[in-house]
Amino acid sequence: GESGSGKSLLAHTIAGILSPAARSGRLGLDFAGIDLKLAPDGEVFCFEVNPCPAYTYYEANTGQPIARALAGYLDAASRAAATRWPATA
């Protein structure tokens, strides 16, 4: 769940493994929520990949601008698609 005694959410850069963004792309997803756990020894575990995640809890608890980044990505993708396939009248 979203709550746990003594647990916290922290922004973390994972070095040495394929980024979560690249992993979602390899799955054919433009974006996804990837639930990871960083073990005390530095090993990273993936619990699930969610193609329709809710980011508000994580954004509120980490201060990461997830909604802004996602909106920017979708806007750029929309503009790129419009230049490739212009609307016809």
Side-chain angles (χ1 to χ4, degrees), residues 9-73:
L9 298 173
L10 302 170
H12 186 78
T13 300
I14 302 170
I17 68 168
L18 187 60
S19 75
R23 288 178 186 269
S24 63
R26 284 189 171 185
L27 295 172
L29 302 169
D30 286 330
F31 62 91
I34 302 177
D35 293 347
L36 303 172
K37 176 168 178 58
L38 180 62
D41 65 0
E43 189 170 1
V44 178
F45 294 90
C46 178
F47 294 107
E48 71 172 346
V49 178
N50 187 336
C52 191
Y55 294 112
T56 54
Y57 175 80
Y58 302 100
E59 187 172 50
N61 285 279
T62 65
Q64 297 295 301
I66 299 169
R68 179 178 294 153
L70 182 55
Y73 169 81

